Structures are given as C-alpha cells and as structure tokens.
Amino acid sequence: MELSDLEMAHLKRLARLELSREETAALQKDLSDILGYFDQLRGLDTGGVEELVRPITTVDVFREDVIRLSLPHEKAMSLAVEAQEGFFRVPRTVEEA
Amino acid sequence: MFEAVIGLEIHLALRTGSKMFCGCAAESLGLLPNVNTCPVCLGLPGSLPVVNREAIEKALRFSLALNCQVPEVTQFHRKHYYYPDAPKNYQISQFDRPVGEHGFVELEAGRRIGVTRCHVEEDAGRSVHPPYAPYSLVDLNRAGAPLIEMVTEPDLRTPEEAREFLVKIRAIAQALDVSDASPEAGKMRADVNVSIRLPGEALGTKVEVKNLNSFKSVQNALAFEIKRQTDLLESGRSVLQETRGWNEGGQRTYSMRSKEETADYRYFPDPDLPPMRVAEKWLETVRAATPELPDAKRERYRELGLRAFDAGLIAFDVELATFFDRAVRVYEGEAQLLANWLNGDVAGHLNANDLALSRSKLSPENLASLLTLVDEGAISGKTAKDVLPLVIDGGDPKTIVEERGLKQITDLGAIEALVDAVIAANPAVVERVKENPKVINVLLGQVMKESRGKAKPDAVRELLNEKLG
Ligand SMILES: [Zn+2]
C-alpha cells in the first residue's frame, strides 16, 4: 500500500509537521511499509477473534470525586512560552470583528 | 409552505466537585486565570488522566432519564484538533461507545423527539481576544471540566418546540442534580442545525448556527434562519451549507466564512483510559438514586389539584419545586392557593428585587403560616400581601401580625360599634344610599379606614346592609 503525495501532505498538515523533502520521502516510505503490514494482516481470517483495542486487560479504573490542590499559578505559568496578565499568550486565533 | 427540520446539539456542564480526569476543581467561576490547573489538565507529557466516577454516574443517570440505551461497556476516545484552548492537541471524548444512545424526550403535545446520543467529554479552556491586539489570551481553568454532549435527531419542527425541548432538558438536568444547566452561567450551550423543505420531501441543505447562549437566542436565531432560508428558496436561490453565528444585538445570523476543511479528527481509543463496564448492578444503584423527574412531578401536582399551568411552572423549576414540596407538607389549605402565591406575589416581589428564591430568606414554613393566618381569618388577604415583603426578608408571620397589631377584628360587637359611629357621622351619605345602594361602599371604606384595615370587610358589609337596607 503506497501512501500518495497528497495523503502525505494531508498528514503533515494534520500533525503540524514541517519536514524537508528528504524527511518527507523517508517518512512516506516508512508509513507505506506500515500500511503494507496492515494489508498483510487484513488478509488473515479474523472472524472468530475478538476485537482488541488495548493490549492490557485492565478495566474500570476510577477515582472518587475529590478536589485536590492545583498547581501554584507561577508553576503552571513557568511553562509558558509567552504569558500576560496571568494568561498564556498565543498568536491571535480570531479575526477582528 | 415550507416546514423546518431542526436538530440540537446541547452541552451541559456536569455538576461535580473535581474535573473529569484530574483533581482540580471543576468550577472556576470568578477565579483568576490559570489557578485551577495541574499536569493532567495542562496536558503535560507523562501525566495520567483517571476517570471521575461521579461524572460517569451522573451521565448515566441523565442518559437513563432520556430513555437512552446504555451500553455494557463505555470508553473514551481522543479527538484530535489544534487550538490553543485544547492543551493536549486532542480532546478526550467518546466516539463509538457513548454512555447513552437511541433515547427520546416527549414534548407537551405528546410528540417524541429522538435523542441520538449522550456522551461525556472534557471541556476546553477559555480564550480572550483583546481588541486590536495581535494575540489571544488563554485561561485553562475550565480545561478538563466534565461535560455531557447530547445530540437530537432532526425531529423538531418549530423554534417554539426547540425552546420547549431546551426547557425540558434543563428541568431534567437540574432535577437529577446532573448540571446547573444555566445558559447564563455558561453551564448549558446549544448549537442548532436547521434546514427547510416541503413536507414529505427529502431534507434540505442544513445550516448550523453556533454561539447561542440563551433559550431566547435559540428561538430567535431559528426563526430568523427559517425566514432567511425560505426567502432564498422562494426567490429561486439556494441555501449554502455552512456554519453561521448569531448576532444578539442585530438579531440576525451571519456567515462565519471559516476556511474550515472537512474535519479529520482521527479518533482512536485513548490508551490511557481503560474501558468502563456498566454492570447492571451499577445501573441499579443509579436508578435507585434517581430523584423524581419533572414529568412525574407535574403529574403529582395535578393530582394535588393544581391547574396545569401552575403544575408545569413549578415542576419544571427545581428550586420552586423543592420549595413547594416543603410548603405543601406543612400547609393544610388548598395546594392551588399556595401555587397562586408562589407564582404570583412571591415571584413578583422576588423579580422586582432581582432575588432568587433560594437566596431569599423566605422559608416554606413561613409562607405556609402566612396563608394559614388568612385561612383562619386572623388577617385579610390584603394584609397578607402587605406583610409578604417582611416574610420574604425572613420575618415570622405570626410575630409580625402580633407586633404590628394587624389581626383582623373578628369581634362583631367591636365592628358594629364602628359601623354605628360611621353611620352617625355621615348622615348625608346615608341619605344617598337610599337612592343608590352602591354608595354603601363609601361607608364601607370609611369603616375599614377607621379600623385601620382590620375589620372583616364581609362582616362590615353585612352589618351596613342590615342597618341601611
Ligand atoms: Zn487538573
């Protein structure tokens, strides 16, 4: 299964990845190989096999509804690339009305 | 004549203490930005979300109340998109196994509106866009707060029906203690899908309207959109499939013209969150903990003798219903009288003072006691209305009536003395009564004034008629 250039461009866009021509070509080949592997799996008769979403069998992990201390504000903001007035500052996301 | 085809997508903030997947407080109203965050809701690498059991339980309660089928296993998916208010670059939501599917809600007229699904998800943060600045500001206090999203089938036909549906959903969510469901406080948000068609024909092109934050705007936006689409089709043009916003000031929808590509969310089961089995035993606990639903309440109020209008008004307002239930327990008079006062004078006074019933000092016991004083003839209805503001401020009716000497004069001898005195003092009026019996009201008013409103008007009228008739 060969990943097309168009699909590759779409994936790069979805993942917000900026890749050089060489990197793109290498990744395109790797992803195509992986898809080829899945094609191989698709050829198997899995009619009687139950769907396995996760490789672990754990179920029902819950926490009780208890409020715990949040991070101190300075600590949360210490990760910010840009901050202002206690907010995270990001490139503008809407146009001026 | 075109008919509208309307579907709703409703988000309700779940009422829990902590967020959906971490221990930060779910409520952040009035807090400074970014004080309610932790590695989980900030989406820091290596953090592990853990499901808040209470949120799932409340979502199950809500789903069952909407007659949904609940799957044996429910699970979370990741929904991927990039936006600064979603710090993980995905939202934890549900996809193929939501907490509820294939439910319905019945409208007043008996029509069933299909509920496609109810699922649990985490809320996003809040963005602020200062005017003319080249940046936006992000507050992640709300990020990770628990939400229910419910989607209806396109079964609604008019803006009024859509509003009725929303009112009902709010009443159910409040009665079940699932959500505050207050659009004003941002605890209930609705998007609408609307198209028009000739009855019996295939569905028309649908338009989505977003950013509706009151029931009134939902109704108005739908009315506007139906008219706009009708005008387009009638003038031979066509409806464009798009997302539109609602301009509250201009009362019109506008094209959002987003360069939005077809959404490609790349859903997959969240590997951090194991599936949850909804065993019958758990559902039994949920059912047992489900309080009376608004429809059942209204039915019960009708049986108490309430008029349909009052029964509905009280049953669909959880605050009012709780108050009414307590008052009815101690009040021995007609339940309808209680409803009259609650929906009339009490509501009027509270509205005029912009006060919520729960925030006022009016107790159900005191309201019942005020009405009982009227029923026993101790005070007139007029006096009861006069002292109501004091009772709403927390005063005890009996004490107020006692201290202010407002008790009705029921002693006939005392009333007769007053009547005699007024007759003696107004010979000219008495003359006129002979020509026009209605003039007796002048004397009645005089007696009432002399008694400072405390004489029983019926008794006074009877005595006057007796003496002058
Ligand atoms: Zn947190």
Side-chain angles (χ1 to χ4, degrees):
Chain A
M1 164 102 193
E2 207 61 46
L3 207 58
S4 73
D5 290 347
L6 205 66
E7 285 169 319
M8 198 57 210
H10 180 58
L11 283 180
K12 271 161 66 176
R13 200 185 138 58
L14 283 178
R16 301 291 192 272
L17 282 177
E18 218 169 4
L19 300 171
S20 70
R21 194 182 299 252
E22 292 73 32
E23 286 168 326
T24 304
L27 197 62
Q28 190 163 359
K29 185 187 172 303
D30 286 350
L31 288 174
S32 297
D33 286 350
I34 293 170
L35 287 178
Y37 176 60
F38 274 92
D39 267 346
Q40 221 178 320
L41 289 178
R42 197 170 288 146
L44 296 172
D45 177 13
T46 55
V49 184
E50 213 177 307
E51 179 195 25
L52 178 72
V53 172
R54 297 168 181 82
I56 47 166
T57 52
T58 316
V59 290
D60 303 340
V61 179
F62 293 107
R63 40 176 277 276
E64 291 311 309
D65 184 22
V66 176
I67 300 177
R68 304 179 61 173
L69 219 52
S70 293
L71 280 180
H73 182 252
E74 319 77 64
K75 202 151 186 190
M77 299 313 290
S78 67
L79 303 152
V81 180
E82 286 185 87
Q84 182 176 321
E85 294 158 47
F87 291 89
F88 295 102
R89 197 169 82 173
V90 299
R92 195 168 181 89
T93 50
V94 295
E95 285 163 36
E96 207 67 54
Chain B
M1 195 55 201
F2 291 105
E3 74 169 0
V5 176
I6 301 165
L8 299 176
E9 190 185 304
I10 302 167
H11 283 93
L12 289 160
L14 274 165
R15 189 191 284 160
T16 55
S18 61
K19 289 186 180 178
M20 189 63 229
F21 301 109
C22 64
C24 294
E27 179 58 78
S28 52
L29 213 68
L31 292 184
L32 290 171
N34 298 307
V35 294
N36 237 358
T37 65
C38 74
V40 172
C41 56
L42 286 173
L44 300 190
S47 59
L48 187 67
V50 185
V51 177
N52 182 343
R53 191 176 208 282
E54 178 79 1
I56 299 295
E57 185 147 330
K58 288 197 162 163
L60 287 171
R61 198 189 289 171
F62 188 65
S63 297
L64 290 175
L66 303 189
N67 307 294
C68 282
Q69 291 166 23
V70 170
E72 281 172 35
V73 174
T74 183
Q75 67 174 353
F76 284 105
H77 270 64
R78 292 183 180 182
K79 176 183 181 180
H80 298 82
Y81 65 91
Y82 286 89
Y83 207 73
D85 60 16
K88 295 190 293 295
N89 295 333
Y90 61 82
Q91 177 194 28
I92 304 178
S93 182
Q94 295 197 287
F95 184 59
D96 61 350
R97 287 168 176 176
V99 286
E101 284 181 290
H102 314 304
F104 65 86
V105 169
E106 210 167 270
L107 294 183
E108 196 61 23
R111 234 158 60 67
R112 280 186 178 186
I113 305 304
V115 173
T116 316
R117 58 188 269 135
C118 283
H119 75 241
V120 181
E121 62 185 26
E122 56 175 342
D123 207 343
R126 180 175 66 98
S127 300
V128 181
H129 314 288
Y132 308 110
Y135 53 81
S136 296
L137 300 173
V138 179
D139 168 16
L140 295 178
N141 280 344
R142 201 181 60 187
L147 290 180
I148 289 185
E149 177 183 313
M150 62 167 290
V151 182
T152 76
E153 293 292 310
D155 290 344
L156 295 157
R157 291 290 171 268
T158 63
E160 293 71 30
E161 268 191 0
R163 189 197 171 103
E164 186 192 335
F165 185 86
L166 288 168
V167 168
K168 187 141 197 186
I169 292 299
R170 175 178 62 187
I172 293 172
Q174 290 179 343
L176 296 183
D177 193 32
V178 159
S179 171
D180 296 334
S182 142
E184 295 74 26
K187 304 293 184 191
M188 183 172 184
R189 315 194 282 265
D191 298 337
V192 305
N193 281 304
V194 52
S195 61
I196 58 168
R197 67 169 175 194
L198 292 168
E201 292 202 348
L203 291 176
T205 308
K206 98 184 157 184
V207 166
E208 185 180 14
V209 186
K210 290 195 160 209
N211 304 338
L212 300 167
N213 42 25
S214 76
F215 295 171
K216 195 84 205 136
S217 4
V218 169
Q219 197 180 340
N220 291 346
L222 280 170
F224 178 88
E225 204 38 46
I226 291 166
K227 167 113 180 30
R228 187 185 71 88
Q229 294 182 18
T230 305
D231 289 349
L232 279 174
L233 294 192
E234 280 178 347
S235 61
R237 285 172 290 174
S238 55
V239 176
L240 189 69
Q241 173 157 5
E242 61 176 346
T243 300
R244 297 175 72 85
W246 172 244
N247 180 325
E248 189 69 55
Q251 290 288 300
R252 51 189 301 120
T253 65
Y254 60 91
S255 174
M256 304 245 274
R257 268 192 312 270
S258 56
K259 51 181 193 292
E260 209 176 310
E261 48 204 315
T262 334
D264 189 345
Y265 293 127
R266 292 151 294 152
Y267 279 100
F268 68 74
D270 193 317
D272 286 341
L273 296 160
M276 296 156 281
R277 293 172 306 175
V278 188
E280 189 49 41
K281 206 173 131 216
W282 192 7
L283 285 182
E284 269 167 33
T285 334
V286 172
R287 280 194 200 100
T290 299
E292 188 181 35
L293 284 164
D295 277 349
K297 259 202 178 82
R298 184 177 47 190
E299 202 41 54
R300 183 162 58 80
Y301 294 160
R302 292 285 283 150
E303 280 161 18
L304 283 177
L306 256 57
R307 285 192 299 261
F309 176 79
D310 293 297
L313 208 62
I314 297 174
F316 279 70
D317 182 326
V318 71
E319 198 179 53
L320 210 51
T322 311
F323 189 98
F324 181 78
D325 283 340
R326 271 178 59 190
V328 139
R329 218 168 294 148
V330 289
Y331 179 57
E332 286 171 3
E334 299 264 332
Q336 178 62 50
L337 261 172
L338 201 53
N340 289 349
W341 275 81
L342 260 184
N343 293 337
D345 288 278
V346 173
H349 183 82
L350 292 174
N351 283 342
N353 292 283
D354 201 16
L355 199 64
L357 183 58
S358 59
R359 301 281 296 275
S360 83
K361 291 193 184 123
L362 179 65
S363 73
E365 293 73 20
N366 278 348
L367 183 63
S369 136
L370 180 68
L371 269 61
T372 305
L373 287 173
V374 179
D375 294 346
E376 289 169 348
I379 58 171
S380 66
K382 163 96 175 42
T383 303
K385 282 181 191 197
D386 290 344
V387 302
L388 180 66
L390 298 170
V391 179
I392 288 178
D393 282 344
D396 170 53
K398 274 189 188 142
T399 317
I400 295 170
V401 166
E402 213 59 60
E403 280 178 2
R404 306 196 168 214
L406 298 170
K407 242 192 164 137
Q408 251 177 176
I409 302 169
T410 44
D411 172 6
L412 277 180
I415 297 177
E416 189 167 5
L418 279 170
V419 169
D420 287 343
V422 168
I423 289 176
N426 297 280
V429 183
V430 172
E431 273 311 303
R432 278 169 54 211
V433 173
K434 286 178 184 150
E435 287 142 42
N436 180 3
K438 278 190 181 159
V439 176
I440 212 161
N441 285 333
V442 176
L443 296 171
L444 175 75
Q446 202 61 39
V447 176
M448 291 309 292
K449 200 175 150 199
E450 291 293 321
S451 77
R452 295 188 14 246
K454 293 187 296 184
K456 272 190 93 155
D458 292 350
V460 175
R461 185 179 294 280
E462 208 166 295
L463 279 167
L464 281 167
N465 282 334
E466 218 169 83
K467 287 176 191 283
L468 303 175

